[in-house]
Amino acid sequence: MSTPIRRLTSLVRSFSSSATMSQYTNRYIGPANTLEHRVFFEQDGVPVSPFHDIPLFADQNAGILNMVVEVPRWTNAKMEISKEEPLNPIKQDIKKGRLRYVRNCFPHHGYIWNYGAFPQVRQIRVSPKRESPA
């Protein structure tokens, strides 16, 4: 496991309650920074989709949301949840056949925050309002 992933894992554990995070684990397939690299999610050893199976709320009464971190803080690989692949693993984004990386924000390396998505939030397409004849 790479140093940024270890750092992220320890940060997540320190900022989350063990009751909400202990049920989800990651399975890494392929070496990082390759076209084959994938990060799958598991709950109690069973593969799950970050879009469909992880609930939005970690604790609804306290207003605590779950978040799927696609690009951990201080990393450069532009990772995204795959919408096309089964179980929606996280994979590195590709543009013109090449792996994508984010630029550094001097003096920092990579993203200066965790970048990701809330699970089970779907894009709602709203049609433009029609002009009423006057």
Side-chain angles (χ1 to χ4, degrees), residues 34-53:
T34 66
L35 295 172
E36 296 78 27
H37 182 65
R38 300 289 184 274
V39 180
F40 287 90
F41 295 85
E42 294 181 345
Q43 181 180 26
D44 301 322
V46 177
V48 297
S49 165
F51 279 151
H52 309 293
D53 300 320

Side-chain angles (χ1 to χ4, degrees), residues 17-26 41-46 48 53-55 57-58 66:
S17 70
S18 60
T20 58
M21 287 304 297
S22 63
Q23 58 184 324
Y24 299 104
T25 56
N26 296 334
F41 295 85
E42 294 181 345
Q43 181 180 26
D44 301 322
V46 177
V48 297
D53 300 320
I54 298 175
F57 286 96
N66 282 315

Side-chain angles (χ1 to χ4, degrees), residues 42-122:
E42 294 181 345
Q43 181 180 26
D44 301 322
V46 177
V48 297
S49 165
F51 279 151
H52 309 293
D53 300 320
I54 298 175
L56 174 60
F57 286 96
D59 183 344
Q60 192 164 4
N61 293 333
I64 299 172
L65 301 172
N66 282 315
M67 177 185 174
V68 177
V69 176
E70 296 169 285
V71 183
R73 185 178 188 191
W74 310 129
T75 62
N76 283 85
K78 178 70 174 101
M79 307 294 284
E80 292 188 345
I81 299 172
S82 173
K83 293 176 262 184
E84 298 82 22
E85 294 183 29
L87 294 172
N88 311 105
I90 294 178
K91 66 177 188 174
Q92 192 161 354
D93 193 30
I94 302 168
K95 186 174 185 178
K96 298 181 181 178
R98 300 180 62 152
L99 296 172
R100 289 184 63 194
Y101 295 88
V102 297
R103 296 179 186 193
N104 291 327
C105 181
F106 183 80
H108 307 289
H109 174 78
Y111 272 123
I112 58 175
W113 56 81
N114 287 327
Y115 173 89
F118 292 116
Q120 299 204 17
V121 176
R122 292 165 182 79

